[in-house]
Structure formats: C-alpha cells, structure tokens
Amino acid sequence: TDDALVIFTPSGKRGRFPLGTPVLTAARQLGVDLDSVCGGRGICSKCQITPGYGEFPKHGVTVTEAALSEWNEVEARYDRIRGLKEGRRLGCQAKVMGDVVIDVPPESQVHRQVIRKSATARAITMHPATHAYYVEVAEPDMHEPSGDFQRLCVALKDQWQIEGVEADPALLRRLQPILRKGEWKVTVILYKDHHDKVRIIDIHPGFWEGRLYGLAIDLGSTTIAAHLCDLRNGNVLASSGLMNPQIRFGEDLMSRVSYAMMNPGGDREMTNAVRSAINELALAIATEGGIDPMLIVETVFVCNPVMHHLLLGIDPVELGQAPFALATSESLSIPARDLDLLSIHENARVYILPCIAGHVGADCAAVALSEEPYTSEDIALIVDVGTNAEILLGNKDRVLACSSPTGPAFEGAQISSGQRAAPGAIERVEIDAETKEPRFRVIGCDLWSDDPGFAAATAQTGITGICGSGIIEVVAEMRMAGLVDPSGLIGSAEQTGTARSVPQGRTHAYVLHDGTAEGGPLITVTQGDIRAIQLAKSALYAGARLLMDELGIETVDRVVLAGAFGAHISPKHAMVLGMIPDCPLDKVTSAGNAAGTGARIALCDTSARAAIEREVGNIHKVETAIEPRFQEHFVAANAIPHATAPFPELGK
Ligand code: FES
C-alpha cells in the first residue's frame, strides 16, 4: 500500500496517511496537539516526538525502524548544533514511511495539563492567549506595491492561517528595521484571546526563542498578591504580595468609596496609589523569578468591584449607594499601558474577569472558576474569606452569590496584636481547658511554644503578633476553655481561675504571650478583639445563611474555605466560632487562594475565560446590603457560636 497507519499517544488519535507525509502534518490533520513555532522549518524544535518501535498489541501494529524517514539535512543539522534527545525526532522533518506509533511528550504539547500540587487540585489546561510564530515575509517589490505590515499579514495567513491581525502604531514604528535585520524572517508574538482579536505584542528579527510570562494578580482591599507564570507550561516562577497602599484612604471598601465621595480627585489618588503598587510588585516578582520584566506580556486581574473600578480609574461612587450599578460588568481585555502598567512589556495585555454584580466582583467569578460549583453534584458553600467575604452556594442546578462586609479583622487588622501572616506571627493556638494555659505555633517554625528548642528556633523572627488564622483559633479556644462566655465577654481572673485574665479598663484581656522580659511585645486578646471577630464572623455567617434561605435549605453538603489565609483556618475553630454553618467537619475543606488560582487559570487558558464569562450570567446574585433578613441573621450570629442556630456536628 502507499499509505500507512499513524497512531498518536497519549491522545489515541489515529489515521491513514500517504507515505512521505511529515508527522507534523499528520498531527495537524488529526487535531493532535503538537506544538510548532517555526511552522515546520526545523528551527524551533517545539515539534519533538518520540516514535515507538516494536510490537504494539494494543494498537494491533508492529513498527519497524523504517516506519519513519531517515534524518534529512535539516534534522541532522539541528542535532549537530543543538542536540536532539535520545530517541527524539523533529515532527516536522520526520516523514511517515510505514505504520507507526508516535508519542507526543508533554513539552511538545501546547495544551498540556498543569496539575496543581494541592490535594484538591484542579488541572489547568494550557490555552495561552500569547504565542510566538515564526514567519518568512515576502520582500517588497516596486512593481507590486504593498506595505511591509500587509506582507507580514499575508505571511501569517499563508503560513499559520491567522487573519485579522492588528498592530499599534508603536509597533509599526519598529516593524521595518526588524524585518530588514531579520532578512525578512521574523518571530511574531501574537495575542489572540477567545474573542478572536489578534494583536501583535512584539516582533523579533529571525527565529526568537525567548520565553513569555504572565502575571495573575489578586487585587484585594488589604493585600495584592501576584503569581508570575511561564506562559508555555503554566509553571509559577515566583509568588509575591504587598499591602494595598489604598489602606491609608480607608481600611474597608466603603470607607474608600466615601473617601472618593468626600474628596475631589480622591478616586484618582487611590487609582494612582494602586497602579504604582502594581508596577512595583511586577518589578519585584520579575526579580524574584529571575526574568526581565519586559518579558511579561499578559496580566490577569481579579478583584472586587470597588478595586475593579479604582484600578480602571473609574469613580466608584455609584457602588456606594443602591442600586449599586457597575460601570461595566463584562470582562475586559485592554492594553496594560491604559492602566499605567509601564514596568512590564509596553504592549502587554490585561484581562479582567467579569463581575457578577455591584457587590460581587471579578474575585468571586475567579473563585467560581477555580472551584466550579456549577459542576458540583452536592450543594457546596464556598467562602472566600477576606476584608469582604465572597460567598457562593449551590450546585449544578443553581448557584447563588453574595458578598458580605466582614471587615479586615480576619486579616489581623483592627486586632490589638494583629499582624499580617509573616514569620513570627502566631498562627495556631491551643488552650488547656483545665489550666487555661496556652501553647502556640508561629509562622516559620515547626515547633509548639512548649516544645524544647522553641525559644532558640524563634530567636531570629521573635514572636511578633497574631495573624488572621491565629486570631480565629485563639478566640475559639478561649470560648472552649470557658474564658469567654457565649455573648463574647472575657471573664475576670476570679471568674476564669487564671491570672492570664487581666483587667483592661472596664473589661478584661487574656495574656497569650508575654515577651516583655526578652524585649518583645506583650500579646493579649482584648475585649475589643473579640468584638471585632464577632462582627466579622456574624457578617460571614449571615451572608451564608441568607443564601441558604434563598435556596430553601437548612444544611449544606460541604463547605470550602478559600482566601489567602482561608486556607490556614482550622475548620473546627471556624465552626466553634460560628463563622460557617454546621456541617460534618470532614466536609469542610480548604481551597487556598481560590481567587488567585482562578486568575492563574484565566491567564493560562483562554477557554476558561470564555467558560466563566458564560457561567457568570447564570450565577444569581443576592444583595446583602438591602436585605432585612441579613440584619436579623447578623444579630443572631453575634453569639458564639450562635444564639439560635443548632450546631449538632460540634457535639460530636
Ligand atoms: Fe519547528 Fe519542527 S516545527 S522544528
């Protein structure tokens, strides 16, 4: 016969092809995911494959050494200069000469899957918006006048079937010298999102092998967290964060909205502050990842609606009053320079996830993208704990969302000894119910405070304060040890039987750690701290309860705690506090920074962007700010764990 059977693994795709067909051509025709940047010219080596020889009983074929053509000049030259790994061939050069089984290694797949390391891992499939394409452009001809850009477009169409390419004037200015320097061979970096607009991000003379990077940024009211990702394989090179400098204009969202209302130009001040912080963060994270920040060509943002508007330079005043209208709720794909992000590539693109509603933002959409409640069989309550809690409830039939103003207490702010999660911060606490003596652990040290060697191990960092997870644990432990009554009142030394309860004004405080002898701080939990946590947890519970009312359910099947520090909250302590509704403890899981993960997914996978834009339209939003039942739930939830709601699982 003059054709042969070609079977690709791991996809299992197969077909018959005329002898002499290049493997890359066969892969393309079968829709097998085999990468290429140079378009089959034997330059980029992205098309590497591993042919298998011998018996393949599963596929019913025997493959002989003659199944692929021998090395040609191009392949031999590539191997001589760059070296091909043992057993590898260039898919664009090797031709099918007989039945063959061909493995496409992960590095050669564009749409490879990236598995997250955590237990609840959701795989990310690579469909990056930015990709490099090598083209050979026709030289200009006096008799057929056409612009260099037009001939570049023809080349992209002929060699890559890409049409409708747009370029900025800034890029056009660089185009002519680059084409000539590369002798009409260039590598074009194209951004092609799921809306099918194609833009030139950059152009390099000749074949360019540099890497491309993107930032996934979770822009929170209190902290800004970023991941630097390799856009070829989704790997995270560095993660970094800083405090949102807008804090000086107001700790929570509504105080920032009022700052904008009260001060002419206040919105602009806050916009400038956050934009310069993001530029600073981009530079820092590029340094940490060891890359040139100019190679950052994409940034995805997730944020709540107020941050969203302030990032975009839109006055958030409408978000401060009913009916809480957003300037725009749709996703945005814009040039990074429109946001003054000048520390990254000059033509970098920004994608911002859609908002769900006036109080339920792109951060909530990102949590939905990461946790996919709309595919869940059982009813999941997903809580992204932050200064504002984003709450999602539902399953594949219906998903509801709301946001609840918890305030910054869970992030360690407004707490007398509160601090952000950093080495030296107390993150785990146990209090002995008999002796009322505490033991604790601090971030950056694996030992408990009563373990031998703890003092030496923490000598470097010191014991500096309590972070968000620590404050939740200590309040819950105080309740369980009887140091605090159900109303949240700290008992006196006489009432509690411990000298650790000390008077403070007309109330009492619990001494968690006295480091004053070593020149360290005195870390106490004050009555004010307990009140701040009560307010925060009541808001969280009330939001969840409101969604449960709306769905007509009394219990949920599972609870997912998300948020940068939601991951560190112990389910038991959260339930003792009454932060979350009653649920079997083994059904309470952590999702880590789900909003940040959602941002990473959107950065790596344009089909996920399309998916969340679709799903957001089906998520029903419940407004907590105008719902009288929210207030009722909030008041009832002030007690620890709750005034009326039963918590049968806690008794187990
Ligand atoms: Fe570039 Fe084969 S496609 S080397």
Side-chain angles (χ1 to χ4, degrees):
T1 59
D2 48 7
D3 66 359
L5 178 65
V6 181
I7 300 166
F8 285 98
T9 58
S11 66
K13 290 185 176 159
R14 52 168 70 205
R16 297 200 75 86
F17 292 90
L19 299 186
T21 306
V23 172
L24 179 63
T25 309
R28 290 232 169 114
Q29 287 183 17
L30 290 174
V32 169
D33 182 13
L34 180 56
D35 199 2
S36 162
V37 168
C38 71
R41 293 183 180 82
I43 306 173
C44 71
S45 82
K46 305 292 187 212
C47 61
Q48 290 187 37
I49 47 139
T50 315
Y53 299 105
E55 291 282 341
F56 290 87
K58 198 174 130 210
H59 300 300
V61 289
T62 304
V63 182
T64 68
E65 291 281 344
L68 290 183
S69 60
E70 288 188 357
W71 282 16
N72 63 16
E73 214 5 73
V74 176
E75 209 173 359
R77 190 190 49 192
Y78 184 88
D79 184 53
R80 212 167 44 239
I81 302 172
R82 316 284 301 270
L84 264 175
K85 259 197 225 158
E86 179 79 28
R88 289 280 177 86
R89 297 289 304 269
L90 291 182
C92 62
Q93 302 302 317
K95 298 186 180 70
V96 176
M97 304 306 287
D99 293 350
V100 66
V101 176
I102 291 172
D103 187 56
V104 181
E107 315 87 273
S108 301
Q109 298 169 16
V110 187
H111 307 311
R112 78 192 76 181
Q113 288 218 326
V114 186
I115 308 294
R116 278 163 61 201
K117 291 186 190 87
S118 82
T120 53
R122 174 199 192 286
I124 299 179
T125 309
M126 296 304 293
H127 281 113
T130 313
H131 196 269
Y133 300 87
Y134 172 82
V135 281
E136 296 181 1
V137 181
E139 292 186 31
D141 181 341
M142 268 211 300
H143 304 291
E144 270 179 60
S146 66
D148 283 354
F149 177 64
Q150 282 65 40
R151 266 174 284 106
L152 174 67
C153 290
V154 169
L156 281 166
K157 178 161 181 259
D158 290 350
Q159 293 161 43
W160 291 101
Q161 293 75 49
I162 294 171
E163 293 183 68
V165 177
E166 293 175 20
D168 285 342
L171 212 125
L172 290 177
R173 279 198 283 281
R174 295 173 42 219
L175 178 67
Q176 294 200 306
I178 290 173
L179 279 170
R180 281 154 186 84
K181 183 165 175 215
E183 295 172 341
W184 306 97
K185 299 177 183 64
V186 288
T187 304
V188 188
I189 314 298
L190 291 183
Y191 175 89
K192 189 167 173 295
D193 72 11
H194 55 295
H195 294 300
D196 265 336
K197 283 180 213 130
V198 191
R199 290 167 198 283
I200 301 185
I201 301 281
D202 207 347
I203 180 163
H204 299 274
F207 177 68
W208 181 81
E209 280 190 285
R211 295 225 159 191
L212 299 168
Y213 302 92
L215 290 176
I217 301 185
D218 177 9
L219 174 53
S221 334
T222 310
T223 51
I224 310 175
H227 296 299
L228 175 67
C229 300
D230 185 324
L231 291 179
R232 276 191 59 77
N233 52 27
N235 287 348
V236 176
L237 272 78
S239 298
S240 188
L242 45 78
M243 295 303 271
N244 187 330
Q246 291 178 342
I247 286 177
R248 68 173 183 269
F249 304 102
E251 285 214 338
D252 56 28
L253 293 175
M254 281 312 128
S255 52
R256 282 181 221 169
V257 173
S258 21
Y259 185 84
M261 283 170 158
M262 314 296 283
N263 301 278
D267 59 317
R268 191 68 225 171
E269 266 181 276
M270 289 188 279
T271 296
N272 291 344
V274 77
R275 286 179 178 180
S276 60
I278 294 164
N279 273 312
E280 200 183 298
L281 182 58
L283 286 179
I285 203 168
T287 309
E288 200 184 318
I291 64 147
D292 178 354
M294 292 302 142
L295 293 176
I296 299 175
V297 290
E298 275 194 75
T299 301
V300 167
F301 282 100
V302 302
C303 42
N304 61 56
V306 174
M307 296 304 1
H308 176 271
H309 280 41
L310 287 172
L311 173 67
L312 287 167
I314 300 170
D315 189 337
V317 56
E318 289 302 328
L319 298 173
Q321 59 208 22
F324 314 108
L326 289 156
T328 178
S329 58
E330 280 181 8
S331 67
L332 290 164
S333 174
I334 53 176
R337 61 173 169 270
D338 284 7
L339 303 181
D340 300 330
L341 302 188
L342 304 176
S343 64
I344 58 176
H345 193 286
E346 59 174 353
N347 290 318
R349 302 289 302 179
V350 163
Y351 175 78
I352 306 179
L353 271 79
C355 290
I356 296 173
H359 277 159
V360 187
D363 47 357
C364 195
V367 172
L369 179 58
S370 169
E371 292 304 310
E372 300 183 300
Y374 39 77
T375 63
S376 173
E377 289 291 331
D378 48 10
I379 294 187
L381 174 71
I382 303 160
V383 184
D384 189 355
V385 190
T387 309
N388 241 15
E390 267 61 57
I391 308 173
L392 288 154
L393 176 72
N395 63 4
K396 60 181 174 27
D397 299 325
R398 192 158 180 238
V399 178
L400 307 176
C402 74
S403 104
S404 191
T406 47
F410 288 148
E411 299 192 26
Q414 286 178 357
I415 299 295
S416 58
S417 294
Q419 70 158 91
R420 67 189 187 90
I426 295 176
E427 58 164 350
R428 295 263 98 106
V429 181
E430 284 176 8
I431 297 176
D432 187 300
E434 292 297 317
T435 64
K436 322 287 184 205
E437 283 301 298
R439 64 200 286 262
F440 55 82
R441 271 175 49 179
V442 299
I443 296 177
C445 175
D446 287 337
L447 301 172
W448 283 88
S449 55
D450 55 355
D451 287 335
F454 176 81
T458 54
Q460 270 279 311
T461 58
I463 299 160
T464 48
I466 316 177
C467 71
S469 63
I471 190 76
I472 286 167
E473 293 201 3
V474 72
V475 177
E477 289 282 325
M478 284 170 74
R479 175 74 195 99
M480 287 191 286
L483 292 159
V484 158
D485 72 8
S487 77
L489 202 66
I490 303 177
S492 65
E494 298 72 53
Q495 289 165 323
T496 59
T498 173
R500 285 187 177 266
S501 175
V502 295
Q504 194 182 54
R506 294 216 301 261
T507 59
H508 294 88
Y510 176 76
V511 178
L512 181 57
H513 173 69
D514 185 353
T516 47
E518 300 91 51
L522 174 67
I523 298 173
T524 61
V525 179
T526 66
Q527 190 61 59
D529 297 342
I530 305 262
R531 293 292 176 232
I533 287 296
Q534 279 177 291
L535 290 178
K537 73 101 182 175
S538 309
L540 196 69
Y541 182 88
R545 190 59 240 189
L546 193 63
L547 295 187
M548 289 164 71
D549 289 354
E550 189 74 25
L551 211 57
I553 55 172
E554 281 303 316
T555 53
V556 298
D557 297 329
R558 60 190 177 95
V559 176
V560 180
L561 291 171
F565 70 99
H568 300 287
I569 297 174
S570 114
K572 183 181 89 175
H573 292 100
M575 209 172 290
V576 168
L577 273 187
M579 266 174 80
I580 50 174
D582 192 62
C583 175
L585 277 181
D586 62 349
K587 293 286 184 192
V588 184
T589 54
S590 295
N593 181 1
T597 302
R600 252 185 75 207
I601 295 171
L603 178 65
C604 295
D605 181 3
T606 50
S607 64
R609 298 182 191 178
I612 194 59
E613 288 170 18
R614 249 189 343 264
E615 291 298 339
V616 153
N618 301 326
I619 298 178
H620 175 74
K621 180 258 176 128
V622 176
E623 180 51 69
T624 54
I626 50 161
E627 177 54 66
R629 273 177 310 159
F630 179 81
Q631 209 51 37
E632 286 165 29
H633 287 314
F634 179 77
V635 172
N638 191 49
I640 306 174
H642 196 278
T644 54
F647 277 79
E649 291 293 338
L650 276 183
K652 289 182 187 164

mmCIF file of all heavy atoms in Angstrom, residues 275-290:
data_model
loop_
_atom_site.group_PDB
_atom_site.id
_atom_site.type_symbol
_atom_site.label_atom_id
_atom_site.label_comp_id
_atom_site.label_asym_id
_atom_site.label_seq_id
_atom_site.Cartn_x
_atom_site.Cartn_y
_atom_site.Cartn_z
ATOM 1 N N ARG A 275 -2.024 51.628 41.211
ATOM 2 C CA ARG A 275 -1.269 51.337 39.990
ATOM 3 C C ARG A 275 0.229 51.354 40.244
ATOM 4 O O ARG A 275 0.954 50.511 39.721
ATOM 5 C CB ARG A 275 -1.641 52.350 38.901
ATOM 6 C CG ARG A 275 -3.021 52.096 38.326
ATOM 7 C CD ARG A 275 -3.365 53.127 37.269
ATOM 8 N NE ARG A 275 -4.671 52.856 36.667
ATOM 9 C CZ ARG A 275 -5.204 53.604 35.715
ATOM 10 N NH1 ARG A 275 -4.551 54.655 35.250
ATOM 11 N NH2 ARG A 275 -6.392 53.293 35.204
ATOM 12 N N SER A 276 0.690 52.296 41.051
ATOM 13 C CA SER A 276 2.141 52.296 41.261
ATOM 14 C C SER A 276 2.551 51.102 42.114
ATOM 15 O O SER A 276 3.631 50.542 41.914
ATOM 16 C CB SER A 276 2.666 53.629 41.788
ATOM 17 O OG SER A 276 2.055 53.908 43.008
ATOM 18 N N ALA A 277 1.664 50.669 43.013
ATOM 19 C CA ALA A 277 1.989 49.462 43.790
ATOM 20 C C ALA A 277 2.095 48.247 42.865
ATOM 21 O O ALA A 277 2.960 47.388 43.043
ATOM 22 C CB ALA A 277 0.934 49.225 44.857
ATOM 23 N N ILE A 278 1.222 48.180 41.870
ATOM 24 C CA ILE A 278 1.258 47.020 40.971
ATOM 25 C C ILE A 278 2.539 47.041 40.132
ATOM 26 O O ILE A 278 3.166 46.005 39.916
ATOM 27 C CB ILE A 278 -0.007 46.985 40.089
ATOM 28 C CG1 ILE A 278 -1.235 46.736 40.967
ATOM 29 C CG2 ILE A 278 0.092 45.892 39.032
ATOM 30 C CD1 ILE A 278 -2.547 47.057 40.286
ATOM 31 N N ASN A 279 2.936 48.220 39.692
ATOM 32 C CA ASN A 279 4.202 48.321 38.955
ATOM 33 C C ASN A 279 5.372 47.850 39.813
ATOM 34 O O ASN A 279 6.247 47.116 39.348
ATOM 35 C CB ASN A 279 4.433 49.777 38.522
ATOM 36 C CG ASN A 279 3.764 50.079 37.193
ATOM 37 O OD1 ASN A 279 3.902 49.330 36.231
ATOM 38 N ND2 ASN A 279 3.017 51.162 37.146
ATOM 39 N N GLU A 280 5.346 48.276 41.053
ATOM 40 C CA GLU A 280 6.400 47.896 41.990
ATOM 41 C C GLU A 280 6.408 46.376 42.193
ATOM 42 O O GLU A 280 7.442 45.721 42.156
ATOM 43 C CB GLU A 280 6.063 48.580 43.307
ATOM 44 C CG GLU A 280 7.159 48.749 44.297
ATOM 45 C CD GLU A 280 6.566 49.394 45.563
ATOM 46 O OE1 GLU A 280 6.066 50.544 45.469
ATOM 47 O OE2 GLU A 280 6.561 48.720 46.596
ATOM 48 N N LEU A 281 5.202 45.822 42.365
ATOM 49 C CA LEU A 281 5.078 44.379 42.577
ATOM 50 C C LEU A 281 5.572 43.612 41.353
ATOM 51 O O LEU A 281 6.251 42.597 41.476
ATOM 52 C CB LEU A 281 3.610 44.041 42.880
ATOM 53 C CG LEU A 281 3.269 42.590 43.179
ATOM 54 C CD1 LEU A 281 4.053 42.078 44.368
ATOM 55 C CD2 LEU A 281 1.767 42.446 43.456
ATOM 56 N N ALA A 282 5.242 44.105 40.157
ATOM 57 C CA ALA A 282 5.666 43.422 38.928
ATOM 58 C C ALA A 282 7.185 43.380 38.855
ATOM 59 O O ALA A 282 7.776 42.347 38.513
ATOM 60 C CB ALA A 282 5.077 44.128 37.707
ATOM 61 N N LEU A 283 7.825 44.491 39.193
ATOM 62 C CA LEU A 283 9.293 44.527 39.151
ATOM 63 C C LEU A 283 9.881 43.574 40.191
ATOM 64 O O LEU A 283 10.811 42.827 39.905
ATOM 65 C CB LEU A 283 9.800 45.946 39.427
ATOM 66 C CG LEU A 283 9.618 46.950 38.289
ATOM 67 C CD1 LEU A 283 10.128 48.315 38.711
ATOM 68 C CD2 LEU A 283 10.347 46.468 37.038
ATOM 69 N N ALA A 284 9.287 43.590 41.386
ATOM 70 C CA ALA A 284 9.812 42.744 42.459
ATOM 71 C C ALA A 284 9.679 41.269 42.095
ATOM 72 O O ALA A 284 10.586 40.467 42.304
ATOM 73 C CB ALA A 284 9.082 43.042 43.765
ATOM 74 N N ILE A 285 8.541 40.913 41.532
ATOM 75 C CA ILE A 285 8.307 39.500 41.247
ATOM 76 C C ILE A 285 9.156 39.033 40.065
ATOM 77 O O ILE A 285 9.620 37.894 40.031
ATOM 78 C CB ILE A 285 6.796 39.234 41.039
ATOM 79 C CG1 ILE A 285 6.467 37.773 41.300
ATOM 80 C CG2 ILE A 285 6.318 39.635 39.669
ATOM 81 C CD1 ILE A 285 4.985 37.498 41.390
ATOM 82 N N ALA A 286 9.417 39.939 39.119
ATOM 83 C CA ALA A 286 10.300 39.582 37.997
ATOM 84 C C ALA A 286 11.715 39.337 38.521
ATOM 85 O O ALA A 286 12.378 38.377 38.120
ATOM 86 C CB ALA A 286 10.294 40.690 36.947
ATOM 87 N N THR A 287 12.162 40.186 39.427
ATOM 88 C CA THR A 287 13.486 39.994 40.029
ATOM 89 C C THR A 287 13.538 38.661 40.754
ATOM 90 O O THR A 287 14.478 37.891 40.612
ATOM 91 C CB THR A 287 13.789 41.133 41.035
ATOM 92 O OG1 THR A 287 13.550 42.368 40.362
ATOM 93 C CG2 THR A 287 15.205 41.074 41.525
ATOM 94 N N GLU A 288 12.475 38.400 41.523
ATOM 95 C CA GLU A 288 12.433 37.146 42.280
ATOM 96 C C GLU A 288 12.448 35.944 41.341
ATOM 97 O O GLU A 288 13.087 34.937 41.615
ATOM 98 C CB GLU A 288 11.167 37.145 43.137
ATOM 99 C CG GLU A 288 11.221 36.177 44.294
ATOM 100 C CD GLU A 288 9.899 36.159 45.044
ATOM 101 O OE1 GLU A 288 9.320 37.250 45.255
ATOM 102 O OE2 GLU A 288 9.446 35.050 45.396
ATOM 103 N N GLY A 289 11.736 36.052 40.221
ATOM 104 C CA GLY A 289 11.682 34.943 39.264
ATOM 105 C C GLY A 289 12.901 34.914 38.348
ATOM 106 O O GLY A 289 13.026 34.014 37.519
ATOM 107 N N GLY A 290 13.773 35.913 38.457
ATOM 108 C CA GLY A 290 14.984 35.941 37.645
ATOM 109 C C GLY A 290 14.712 36.195 36.170
ATOM 110 O O GLY A 290 15.404 35.655 35.298
#
